[in-house]
Every structure is written in structure tokens, then in C-alpha cells.
Coordinates of all heavy atoms in Angstrom, one line a residue:
M1 N 2.8 17.4 5.9 CA 2.1 16.1 5.9 C 0.9 16.2 6.7 O 0.9 16.7 7.8 CB 3.1 15.1 6.4 CG 4.3 14.9 5.6 SD 4.1 13.8 4.2 CE 4.4 12.2 5.0
A2 N -0.2 15.7 6.2 CA -1.5 15.6 6.9 C -2.3 14.4 6.5 O -2.1 13.9 5.4 CB -2.3 16.9 6.6
F3 N -3.1 13.9 7.4 CA -3.9 12.8 7.1 C -5.1 13.3 6.2 O -5.8 14.3 6.6 CB -4.4 12.1 8.3 CG -3.4 11.2 9.0 CD1 -2.6 11.6 10.0 CD2 -3.3 9.9 8.5 CE1 -1.6 10.8 10.5 CE2 -2.4 9.0 9.1 CZ -1.5 9.5 10.1
V4 N -5.3 12.6 5.1 CA -6.5 12.9 4.3 C -7.3 11.7 4.1 O -6.8 10.5 4.1 CB -6.0 13.4 2.9 CG1 -5.3 14.7 3.0 CG2 -5.1 12.4 2.2
T5 N -8.6 11.9 4.0 CA -9.5 10.8 3.8 C -9.5 10.2 2.4 O -9.6 11.0 1.4 CB -11.0 11.2 4.2 OG1 -11.0 11.6 5.6 CG2 -12.0 10.1 4.0
V6 N -9.3 8.9 2.2 CA -9.2 8.3 0.9 C -10.3 7.3 0.7 O -10.5 6.8 -0.4 CB -7.9 7.7 0.6 CG1 -6.7 8.7 0.7 CG2 -7.6 6.6 1.6
G7 N -11.0 7.0 1.8 CA -12.1 6.0 1.7 C -12.8 5.8 3.0 O -12.6 6.5 4.0
K8 N -13.7 4.8 3.0 CA -14.4 4.5 4.2 C -13.7 3.4 5.0 O -13.0 2.5 4.5 CB -15.8 3.9 3.8 CG -16.7 4.8 3.0 CD -17.3 5.8 4.0 CE -18.3 6.7 3.3 NZ -18.8 7.8 4.1
A9 N -13.8 3.5 6.3 CA -13.2 2.6 7.2 C -13.6 1.2 6.9 O -12.8 0.2 7.0 CB -13.5 2.9 8.7
E10 N -14.9 1.0 6.5 CA -15.4 -0.3 6.2 C -14.8 -1.0 5.0 O -14.9 -2.2 4.8 CB -16.9 -0.3 6.0 CG -17.4 0.5 4.8 CD -18.9 0.8 4.8 OE1 -19.5 0.9 5.9 OE2 -19.4 1.0 3.7
D11 N -14.1 -0.1 4.2 CA -13.5 -0.7 3.0 C -12.0 -1.1 3.2 O -11.3 -1.5 2.3 CB -13.5 0.4 1.8 CG -15.0 0.6 1.4 OD1 -15.8 -0.4 1.4 OD2 -15.3 1.7 1.0
A12 N -11.5 -0.9 4.4 CA -10.2 -1.3 4.8 C -10.0 -2.8 4.5 O -11.0 -3.6 4.7 CB -9.9 -1.0 6.2
P13 N -8.9 -3.3 4.0 CA -8.7 -4.7 3.7 C -8.7 -5.5 5.0 O -8.3 -5.1 6.1 CB -7.4 -4.7 3.0 CG -6.6 -3.6 3.6 CD -7.7 -2.5 3.8
P14 N -9.2 -6.8 4.9 CA -9.1 -7.7 6.1 C -7.6 -8.1 6.3 O -6.8 -7.9 5.4 CB -10.0 -8.9 5.7 CG -10.1 -8.8 4.2 CD -9.9 -7.4 3.8
E15 N -7.4 -8.7 7.4 CA -6.0 -9.0 7.8 C -5.4 -9.9 6.7 O -6.0 -10.9 6.2 CB -6.0 -9.8 9.1 CG -4.6 -10.0 9.7 CD -4.7 -10.4 11.2 OE1 -5.6 -10.0 11.9 OE2 -3.8 -11.1 11.6
G16 N -4.2 -9.6 6.3 CA -3.5 -10.4 5.3 C -3.8 -10.0 3.9 O -3.3 -10.7 2.9
E17 N -4.6 -9.0 3.7 CA -4.9 -8.6 2.3 C -4.6 -7.1 2.0 O -4.2 -6.4 2.9 CB -6.4 -8.9 2.1 CG -6.7 -10.4 2.2 CD -8.1 -10.7 1.7 OE1 -8.7 -9.9 1.0 OE2 -8.6 -11.8 2.1
L18 N -4.8 -6.8 0.7 CA -4.5 -5.4 0.2 C -5.7 -4.8 -0.4 O -6.6 -5.6 -0.9 CB -3.4 -5.5 -0.9 CG -2.0 -6.0 -0.4 CD1 -1.3 -6.7 -1.6 CD2 -1.2 -4.8 0.0
A19 N -5.8 -3.5 -0.4 CA -6.9 -2.8 -1.1 C -6.3 -1.5 -1.7 O -5.4 -1.0 -1.1 CB -8.0 -2.5 -0.1
R20 N -6.9 -1.1 -2.8 CA -6.4 0.1 -3.5 C -7.3 1.3 -3.2 O -8.6 1.2 -3.2 CB -6.4 -0.2 -5.0 CG -5.9 0.9 -5.8 CD -5.9 0.4 -7.3 NE -5.2 1.3 -8.2 CZ -5.7 2.4 -8.8 NH1 -7.0 2.7 -8.6 NH2 -5.0 3.1 -9.6
F21 N -6.7 2.4 -2.9 CA -7.4 3.7 -2.7 C -6.7 4.7 -3.5 O -5.6 4.6 -3.8 CB -7.4 4.1 -1.2 CG -8.1 3.1 -0.3 CD1 -7.5 2.0 0.2 CD2 -9.5 3.3 0.0 CE1 -8.2 1.1 1.0 CE2 -10.2 2.4 0.8 CZ -9.5 1.3 1.3
E22 N -7.5 5.8 -3.9 CA -6.9 6.8 -4.7 C -7.4 8.2 -4.3 O -8.5 8.4 -3.9 CB -7.4 6.5 -6.2 CG -6.7 7.4 -7.2 CD -6.9 6.9 -8.6 OE1 -7.1 5.7 -8.8 OE2 -6.9 7.8 -9.5
L23 N -6.5 9.1 -4.4 CA -6.8 10.5 -4.1 C -6.0 11.4 -5.0 O -4.8 11.3 -5.1 CB -6.4 10.8 -2.6 CG -6.8 12.3 -2.2 CD1 -8.4 12.3 -2.1 CD2 -6.1 12.7 -1.0
N24 N -6.7 12.2 -5.8 CA -6.1 13.2 -6.7 C -5.1 12.6 -7.6 O -4.0 13.1 -7.8 CB -5.4 14.3 -5.8 CG -6.4 15.1 -5.0 OD1 -7.6 15.2 -5.4 ND2 -6.0 15.7 -3.9
G25 N -5.4 11.4 -8.1 CA -4.5 10.7 -9.0 C -3.4 9.9 -8.4 O -2.6 9.3 -9.2
T26 N -3.3 9.9 -7.1 CA -2.3 9.1 -6.5 C -2.9 7.9 -5.9 O -3.9 8.0 -5.1 CB -1.6 9.9 -5.3 OG1 -1.0 11.1 -5.8 CG2 -0.6 9.0 -4.6
A27 N -2.5 6.7 -6.3 CA -3.0 5.4 -5.9 C -2.2 4.8 -4.8 O -0.9 4.8 -4.9 CB -3.2 4.5 -7.0
I28 N -2.8 4.4 -3.7 CA -2.1 3.8 -2.6 C -2.7 2.4 -2.3 O -3.9 2.2 -2.3 CB -2.4 4.7 -1.3 CG1 -2.2 6.2 -1.5 CG2 -1.6 4.1 -0.1 CD1 -0.8 6.5 -1.6
A29 N -1.7 1.5 -2.2 CA -2.1 0.1 -1.8 C -2.1 0.1 -0.2 O -1.1 0.4 0.4 CB -1.2 -0.9 -2.4
V30 N -3.2 -0.3 0.4 CA -3.2 -0.4 1.9 C -3.2 -1.8 2.2 O -4.0 -2.6 1.7 CB -4.5 0.3 2.4 CG1 -4.6 0.1 3.9 CG2 -4.4 1.8 2.2
A31 N -2.3 -2.2 3.1 CA -2.1 -3.6 3.5 C -2.5 -3.7 5.0 O -2.2 -2.8 5.8 CB -0.6 -4.0 3.4
N32 N -3.1 -4.8 5.3 CA -3.5 -5.1 6.7 C -2.5 -6.2 7.2 O -2.6 -7.3 6.8 CB -4.9 -5.6 6.8 CG -5.4 -5.7 8.2 OD1 -4.6 -6.1 9.1 ND2 -6.7 -5.6 8.5
V33 N -1.5 -5.7 8.0 CA -0.5 -6.7 8.5 C -0.9 -6.9 10.0 O -0.7 -6.0 10.8 CB 0.9 -6.1 8.4 CG1 1.9 -7.1 9.0 CG2 1.2 -5.8 6.9
G34 N -1.4 -8.0 10.3 CA -1.7 -8.3 11.7 C -2.7 -7.3 12.4 O -2.6 -7.1 13.6
G35 N -3.6 -6.8 11.6 CA -4.5 -5.8 12.1 C -4.1 -4.4 12.0 O -4.9 -3.5 12.2
G36 N -2.8 -4.2 11.6 CA -2.3 -2.8 11.4 C -2.4 -2.4 10.0 O -2.0 -3.3 9.1
L37 N -2.8 -1.2 9.7 CA -2.9 -0.8 8.3 C -1.6 0.0 7.9 O -1.2 0.9 8.7 CB -4.1 0.1 8.1 CG -5.4 -0.6 8.4 CD1 -6.6 0.4 8.3 CD2 -5.7 -1.8 7.4
H38 N -1.1 -0.3 6.7 CA 0.1 0.4 6.2 C -0.1 0.7 4.7 O -0.6 -0.2 4.0 CB 1.3 -0.6 6.4 CG 1.5 -1.0 7.8 ND1 2.2 -0.3 8.7 CD2 1.0 -2.2 8.4 CE1 2.1 -1.0 9.9 NE2 1.5 -2.1 9.7
G39 N 0.4 1.9 4.3 CA 0.2 2.3 2.9 C 1.5 2.2 2.1 O 2.6 2.5 2.7
I40 N 1.4 1.8 0.9 CA 2.6 1.8 0.0 C 2.1 2.3 -1.4 O 0.9 2.0 -1.8 CB 3.2 0.4 -0.1 CG1 4.5 0.5 -0.9 CG2 2.3 -0.6 -0.6 CD1 5.4 -0.8 -0.7
A41 N 2.9 3.0 -2.1 CA 2.5 3.5 -3.4 C 2.1 2.3 -4.3 O 2.8 1.3 -4.3 CB 3.7 4.2 -4.1
D42 N 0.9 2.5 -4.9 CA 0.3 1.3 -5.6 C 1.1 0.9 -6.9 O 1.1 -0.2 -7.3 CB -1.1 1.6 -6.0 CG -1.9 0.4 -6.5 OD1 -1.9 -0.6 -5.8 OD2 -2.4 0.4 -7.6
A43 N 1.7 1.9 -7.5 CA 2.4 1.6 -8.8 C 3.8 1.0 -8.5 O 4.7 1.7 -7.9 CB 2.6 2.9 -9.6
C44 N 4.0 -0.2 -8.9 CA 5.3 -0.9 -8.7 C 6.4 -0.1 -9.3 O 6.2 0.5 -10.5 CB 5.2 -2.3 -9.3 SG 6.8 -3.2 -9.1
T45 N 7.5 0.1 -8.7 CA 8.6 0.9 -9.2 C 9.3 0.2 -10.4 O 10.2 0.8 -11.0 CB 9.6 1.3 -8.2 OG1 10.2 0.1 -7.6 CG2 9.0 2.1 -7.0
H46 N 9.0 -1.1 -10.7 CA 9.6 -1.8 -11.8 C 8.9 -1.4 -13.1 O 9.5 -0.8 -14.0 CB 9.5 -3.3 -11.6 CG 10.1 -4.1 -12.7 ND1 9.4 -5.1 -13.3 CD2 11.2 -4.0 -13.4 CE1 10.1 -5.6 -14.3 NE2 11.2 -5.0 -14.4
A47 N 7.6 -1.8 -13.3 CA 6.9 -1.5 -14.5 C 5.5 -1.0 -14.3 O 4.6 -1.2 -15.1 CB 6.9 -2.7 -15.4
Q48 N 5.3 -0.4 -13.1 CA 4.0 0.3 -12.8 C 2.8 -0.6 -12.6 O 1.7 -0.1 -12.6 CB 3.7 1.4 -13.9 CG 4.9 2.3 -14.1 CD 5.3 3.1 -12.9 OE1 4.5 3.7 -12.3 NE2 6.6 3.0 -12.5
C49 N 3.0 -1.9 -12.4 CA 1.8 -2.7 -12.1 C 1.2 -2.3 -10.8 O 1.9 -1.8 -9.9 CB 2.2 -4.2 -12.1 SG 2.5 -4.9 -13.8
S50 N 0.0 -2.7 -10.5 CA -0.7 -2.3 -9.3 C -0.3 -3.3 -8.2 O -0.7 -4.5 -8.3 CB -2.2 -2.3 -9.5 OG -2.9 -2.1 -8.3
L51 N 0.3 -2.8 -7.2 CA 0.7 -3.7 -6.1 C -0.5 -4.2 -5.3 O -0.4 -5.3 -4.7 CB 1.7 -2.9 -5.1 CG 3.1 -2.6 -5.7 CD1 3.9 -1.9 -4.6 CD2 3.8 -3.9 -6.1
S52 N -1.6 -3.5 -5.3 CA -2.8 -3.9 -4.6 C -3.4 -5.2 -5.2 O -4.2 -5.9 -4.6 CB -3.8 -2.8 -4.5 OG -4.2 -2.4 -5.8
E53 N -2.9 -5.5 -6.5 CA -3.4 -6.7 -7.1 C -2.4 -7.9 -6.9 O -2.6 -9.0 -7.4 CB -3.5 -6.5 -8.6 CG -4.6 -5.5 -8.9 CD -4.8 -5.1 -10.4 OE1 -4.1 -5.8 -11.2 OE2 -5.5 -4.2 -10.7
G54 N -1.4 -7.6 -6.1 CA -0.4 -8.6 -5.7 C -0.8 -9.3 -4.5 O -2.0 -9.3 -4.1
D55 N 0.1 -10.0 -3.8 CA -0.1 -10.8 -2.6 C 0.6 -10.1 -1.4 O 1.7 -9.5 -1.6 CB 0.4 -12.2 -2.8 CG -0.5 -13.0 -3.8 OD1 -1.7 -12.8 -3.8 OD2 0.1 -13.7 -4.6
L56 N 0.1 -10.3 -0.3 CA 0.7 -9.9 1.0 C 1.1 -11.1 1.7 O 0.4 -12.0 2.0 CB -0.3 -9.1 1.8 CG 0.2 -8.4 3.1 CD1 1.3 -7.4 2.7 CD2 -0.9 -7.7 3.8
D57 N 2.5 -11.2 2.0 CA 3.0 -12.3 2.8 C 3.8 -11.7 4.0 O 4.9 -11.2 3.9 CB 4.0 -13.0 1.9 CG 4.6 -14.2 2.6 OD1 4.2 -14.6 3.7 OD2 5.6 -14.8 2.0
G58 N 3.1 -11.7 5.1 CA 3.6 -11.0 6.3 C 3.7 -9.5 6.0 O 2.7 -8.9 5.6
T59 N 4.9 -8.9 6.0 CA 5.0 -7.5 5.7 C 5.5 -7.3 4.2 O 5.7 -6.2 3.8 CB 6.1 -6.8 6.6 OG1 7.4 -7.3 6.4 CG2 5.7 -6.9 8.1
H60 N 5.6 -8.4 3.5 CA 6.0 -8.3 2.1 C 4.9 -8.2 1.1 O 4.0 -9.1 1.1 CB 6.9 -9.5 1.8 CG 8.2 -9.5 2.5 ND1 9.1 -10.6 2.5 CD2 8.8 -8.6 3.3 CE1 10.1 -10.3 3.3 NE2 10.0 -9.1 3.8
V61 N 5.0 -7.2 0.2 CA 4.0 -7.1 -0.9 C 4.7 -7.7 -2.1 O 5.7 -7.2 -2.5 CB 3.6 -5.6 -1.1 CG1 2.6 -5.5 -2.3 CG2 3.0 -5.0 0.2
V62 N 4.0 -8.7 -2.7 CA 4.6 -9.4 -3.9 C 3.8 -8.9 -5.1 O 2.6 -9.2 -5.2 CB 4.5 -10.9 -3.7 CG1 5.2 -11.6 -4.9 CG2 5.2 -11.3 -2.4
C63 N 4.5 -8.3 -6.0 CA 3.9 -7.8 -7.2 C 3.4 -8.9 -8.1 O 4.2 -9.9 -8.3 CB 4.9 -6.9 -8.0 SG 4.2 -6.1 -9.5
A64 N 2.2 -8.8 -8.7 CA 1.7 -9.9 -9.5 C 2.3 -10.0 -10.8 O 2.2 -11.0 -11.5 CB 0.2 -9.6 -9.6
C65 N 3.0 -8.9 -11.3 CA 3.5 -9.0 -12.7 C 4.8 -9.8 -12.8 O 4.9 -10.7 -13.6 CB 3.8 -7.6 -13.2 SG 2.2 -6.7 -13.6
H66 N 5.8 -9.4 -11.9 CA 7.2 -10.1 -12.1 C 7.7 -10.5 -10.7 O 8.9 -10.7 -10.6 CB 8.1 -9.2 -12.8 CG 7.6 -8.5 -14.0 ND1 7.2 -7.2 -14.0 CD2 7.3 -9.0 -15.2 CE1 6.7 -6.9 -15.3 NE2 6.8 -8.0 -16.0
V67 N 6.8 -10.6 -9.7 CA 7.2 -11.2 -8.4 C 8.2 -10.3 -7.7 O 8.8 -10.7 -6.7 CB 7.6 -12.6 -8.5 CG1 7.4 -13.3 -7.1 CG2 6.9 -13.4 -9.5
G68 N 8.3 -9.0 -8.1 CA 9.1 -8.1 -7.3 C 8.5 -7.9 -6.0 O 7.2 -8.0 -5.9
T69 N 9.3 -7.7 -4.9 CA 8.7 -7.7 -3.6 C 9.3 -6.5 -2.8 O 10.5 -6.2 -2.8 CB 9.1 -9.0 -2.8 OG1 8.7 -10.1 -3.6 CG2 8.5 -9.1 -1.5
F70 N 8.4 -5.9 -2.1 CA 8.7 -4.7 -1.2 C 8.3 -5.0 0.2 O 7.3 -5.7 0.4 CB 7.9 -3.5 -1.7 CG 8.2 -3.1 -3.1 CD1 7.5 -3.6 -4.2 CD2 9.1 -2.1 -3.4 CE1 7.7 -3.3 -5.5 CE2 9.4 -1.7 -4.7 CZ 8.7 -2.3 -5.8
D71 N 9.0 -4.4 1.1 CA 8.5 -4.4 2.5 C 7.5 -3.2 2.7 O 7.9 -2.1 2.5 CB 9.7 -4.3 3.5 CG 9.3 -4.6 4.9 OD1 8.3 -3.9 5.4 OD2 9.9 -5.4 5.6
V72 N 6.3 -3.5 3.1 CA 5.3 -2.5 3.2 C 5.6 -1.5 4.3 O 5.0 -0.4 4.4 CB 3.9 -3.1 3.3 CG1 3.7 -3.7 4.7 CG2 2.8 -2.1 3.0
L73 N 6.4 -1.9 5.3 CA 6.7 -1.0 6.4 C 7.7 0.0 6.0 O 7.7 1.1 6.6 CB 7.2 -1.8 7.6 CG 6.3 -2.9 8.2 CD1 6.9 -3.6 9.4 CD2 4.9 -2.4 8.4
T74 N 8.7 -0.3 5.2 CA 9.8 0.6 4.8 C 9.8 1.0 3.4 O 10.5 2.0 3.0 CB 11.1 -0.1 5.1 OG1 11.3 -1.3 4.3 CG2 11.2 -0.6 6.6
G75 N 9.2 0.2 2.5 CA 9.2 0.5 1.1 C 10.4 -0.1 0.4 O 10.6 0.0 -0.8
E76 N 11.3 -0.7 1.2 CA 12.5 -1.3 0.6 C 12.2 -2.5 -0.3 O 11.3 -3.2 0.0 CB 13.5 -1.7 1.7 CG 14.1 -0.6 2.6 CD 14.9 0.3 1.7 OE1 15.8 -0.2 0.9 OE2 14.8 1.6 1.8
V77 N 13.1 -2.6 -1.3 CA 12.9 -3.8 -2.2 C 13.5 -5.0 -1.5 O 14.6 -5.0 -1.0 CB 13.7 -3.5 -3.5 CG1 13.7 -4.8 -4.4 CG2 13.2 -2.3 -4.3
V78 N 12.7 -6.0 -1.5 CA 13.1 -7.3 -0.8 C 13.5 -8.3 -1.9 O 14.4 -9.1 -1.7 CB 11.9 -7.9 0.0 CG1 12.3 -9.2 0.6 CG2 11.5 -6.9 1.1
A79 N 12.9 -8.2 -3.1 CA 13.3 -9.1 -4.2 C 13.1 -8.4 -5.5 O 12.2 -7.7 -5.7 CB 12.4 -10.4 -4.2
A80 N 14.1 -8.6 -6.4 CA 14.1 -8.0 -7.7 C 13.0 -8.6 -8.6 O 12.5 -9.6 -8.2 CB 15.5 -8.2 -8.4
P81 N 12.6 -8.0 -9.7 CA 13.4 -7.0 -10.4 C 13.3 -5.5 -10.0 O 14.2 -4.8 -10.5 CB 12.9 -7.2 -11.9 CG 11.5 -7.7 -11.7 CD 11.5 -8.5 -10.5
P82 N 12.4 -5.0 -9.2 CA 12.5 -3.6 -8.9 C 13.8 -3.3 -8.2 O 14.4 -4.1 -7.5 CB 11.3 -3.4 -7.9 CG 10.4 -4.6 -8.1 CD 11.3 -5.7 -8.5
R83 N 14.3 -2.1 -8.5 CA 15.5 -1.6 -7.8 C 15.3 -0.4 -7.0 O 16.1 -0.1 -6.1 CB 16.6 -1.3 -8.8 CG 17.2 -2.6 -9.5 CD 18.4 -2.3 -10.3 NE 18.0 -1.6 -11.5 CZ 18.8 -1.3 -12.5 NH1 20.1 -1.6 -12.4 NH2 18.4 -0.6 -13.6
T84 N 14.2 0.3 -7.3 CA 13.9 1.6 -6.6 C 12.9 1.3 -5.5 O 11.9 0.7 -5.7 CB 13.3 2.6 -7.6 OG1 14.2 2.8 -8.6 CG2 13.1 3.9 -6.9
P85 N 13.2 1.7 -4.2 CA 12.2 1.6 -3.2 C 10.9 2.3 -3.5 O 10.8 3.2 -4.3 CB 12.9 2.2 -1.9 CG 14.3 2.3 -2.3 CD 14.4 2.4 -3.8
A86 N 9.8 1.8 -2.8 CA 8.5 2.4 -3.0 C 8.3 3.4 -1.8 O 8.8 3.2 -0.7 CB 7.4 1.3 -2.9
S87 N 7.4 4.4 -2.1 CA 7.0 5.3 -1.0 C 6.0 4.6 -0.1 O 5.2 3.8 -0.5 CB 6.3 6.6 -1.6 OG 7.2 7.3 -2.4
V88 N 6.2 4.9 1.2 CA 5.2 4.3 2.1 C 4.5 5.5 2.9 O 5.0 6.6 3.0 CB 5.9 3.4 3.2 CG1 6.4 2.1 2.5 CG2 7.0 4.1 3.9
Y89 N 3.3 5.1 3.4 CA 2.4 6.1 4.0 C 1.8 5.6 5.3 O 1.4 4.4 5.3 CB 1.3 6.4 3.0 CG 1.7 6.9 1.6 CD1 2.0 6.0 0.6 CD2 1.9 8.2 1.4 CE1 2.4 6.4 -0.6 CE2 2.3 8.7 0.1 CZ 2.6 7.7 -0.9 OH 3.0 8.1 -2.1
A90 N 1.7 6.5 6.2 CA 1.0 6.1 7.4 C -0.5 6.1 7.1 O -1.0 6.9 6.3 CB 1.2 7.1 8.5
V91 N -1.2 5.1 7.7 CA -2.7 4.9 7.5 C -3.4 4.9 8.9 O -2.8 4.3 9.8 CB -3.0 3.6 6.7 CG1 -4.5 3.4 6.5 CG2 -2.2 3.6 5.4
R92 N -4.5 5.5 8.9 CA -5.3 5.4 10.2 C -6.8 5.3 9.9 O -7.2 5.8 8.8 CB -5.0 6.6 11.1 CG -5.6 7.9 10.7 CD -5.2 9.0 11.6 NE -5.9 10.3 11.3 CZ -5.6 11.4 11.8 NH1 -4.7 11.5 12.8 NH2 -6.3 12.5 11.4
I93 N -7.5 4.8 10.8 CA -9.0 4.9 10.8 C -9.4 6.0 11.7 O -9.0 6.1 12.9 CB -9.6 3.6 11.3 CG1 -9.2 2.4 10.4 CG2 -11.1 3.7 11.4 CD1 -9.7 2.5 9.0
E94 N -10.2 6.9 11.2 CA -10.6 8.1 12.0 C -12.2 8.1 11.9 O -12.7 8.5 10.8 CB -10.0 9.4 11.5 CG -10.3 10.6 12.4 CD -9.5 10.6 13.7 OE1 -8.6 9.7 13.9 OE2 -9.7 11.5 14.5
G95 N -12.9 7.7 12.9 CA -14.3 7.6 12.8 C -14.7 6.6 11.7 O -14.2 5.4 11.7
D96 N -15.5 7.0 10.7 CA -15.9 6.2 9.6 C -14.9 6.3 8.4 O -15.2 5.7 7.4 CB -17.3 6.6 9.1 CG -18.3 6.3 10.2 OD1 -18.1 5.4 11.0 OD2 -19.4 6.9 10.2
D97 N -13.9 7.0 8.6 CA -13.0 7.3 7.4 C -11.7 6.5 7.5 O -11.1 6.3 8.6 CB -12.6 8.8 7.4 CG -13.9 9.6 7.1 OD1 -14.8 9.2 6.5 OD2 -13.9 10.8 7.6
L98 N -11.2 6.1 6.3 CA -9.8 5.6 6.2 C -8.9 6.7 5.7 O -9.3 7.4 4.7 CB -9.8 4.4 5.3 CG -8.4 3.7 5.2 CD1 -8.7 2.2 5.0 CD2 -7.5 4.2 4.1
Q99 N -7.9 7.0 6.5 CA -7.1 8.2 6.1 C -5.6 7.8 5.9 O -5.1 6.9 6.6 CB -7.1 9.2 7.2 CG -8.5 9.8 7.5 CD -8.6 10.9 8.5 OE1 -7.8 10.9 9.4 NE2 -9.5 11.8 8.4
V100 N -5.0 8.5 5.0 CA -3.6 8.3 4.6 C -2.8 9.6 4.8 O -3.3 10.7 4.5 CB -3.4 7.8 3.2 CG1 -2.0 7.7 2.8 CG2 -4.1 6.4 3.0
E101 N -1.6 9.5 5.4 CA -0.8 10.7 5.6 C -0.1 11.0 4.3 O 0.7 10.2 3.8 CB 0.2 10.5 6.8 CG 0.8 11.8 7.2 CD 1.7 11.7 8.4 OE1 2.2 10.5 8.6 OE2 1.8 12.6 9.2
M102 N -0.4 12.2 3.7 CA 0.2 12.5 2.4 C 0.8 14.0 2.5 O 0.3 14.8 3.3 CB -0.8 12.4 1.3 CG -1.4 11.0 1.2 SD -2.7 10.9 0.0 CE -1.8 10.7 -1.5
Ligands
FES1 S1 5.9 -4.5 -12.4 FE1 6.2 -5.1 -10.4 S2 7.8 -6.6 -10.5 FE2 7.5 -5.9 -12.5

């Protein structure tokens, strides 16, 4: 596991929002929870909708397609219909870069 640059620090989402980043075909939704950045696999484990197009409610990412909900800190399913947890990733700002541990 190593931190890799997926975007610019200036493109990090503002507090309470999500943004999508991609590296080598892997899409990560980055959430800003209280100023802290957290990554979760962008493809919802229910029907592959983009979680970065959903809503962030505290630590909960709510999928825009069928309102399935994940905890962005753990990847655990908080509300169905998804049954499979999502992968989560550490995120950091390093200089001008936004990096995800992959
Ligand atoms: S695709 Fe996300 S809840 Fe269905």
C-alpha cells in the first residue's frame, strides 16, 4: 500500500461534499467530513452507480440511485439495498497533490 496522486489538492471537495477521482480505471469518491478527507470506492456495491453523485450526511454516503447508504469511514452498509461493504481508502494532501492510499 502506498499513497498515489490522483488529483490536485485544490480539487478536494469542500466540507460536507463529495468529489470523484480516478486512477488507472479505479474511481474513488472522496468525502470531506468535518475537514477530514476519506475515500470510498465510487462504484456502489448495489448496482454500480457513482457514489460521488450521491449525498454526504455526516459520515454517511447516500447513493443517488436507490438511497443505499455506506459509512465512509468503514465502508459498512448503513442502509439497504446494498449488502456488500465498500472498500475505503486513506486520503491525504501532500503539497499541491491529493493522494489516496492504494
Ligand atoms: S446503485 Fe447504489 S443503492 Fe442501488
Side-chain angles (χ1 to χ4, degrees):
M1 299 276 275
F3 279 94
V4 295
T5 298
V6 298
K8 297 281 187 193
E10 65 191 29
D11 295 327
E15 192 167 330
E17 295 190 21
L18 295 149
R20 184 177 189 274
F21 295 87
E22 190 169 330
L23 183 75
N24 297 334
T26 300
I28 309 289
V30 173
N32 185 329
V33 179
L37 298 175
H38 306 275
I40 186 167
D42 190 57
C44 180
T45 62
H46 176 233
Q48 309 299 308
C49 286
S50 173
L51 291 179
S52 59
E53 294 177 9
D55 291 319
L56 185 62
D57 181 11
T59 64
H60 292 173
V61 179
V62 183
C63 182
C65 286
H66 313 104
V67 205
T69 305
F70 300 87
D71 189 307
V72 74
L73 302 183
T74 64
E76 291 298 315
V77 175
V78 176
R83 289 188 290 183
T84 305
S87 297
V88 292
Y89 304 88
V91 179
R92 72 181 184 187
I93 299 293
E94 188 75 5
D96 293 335
D97 296 331
L98 187 147
Q99 298 184 329
V100 174
E101 192 174 31
M102 303 176 82

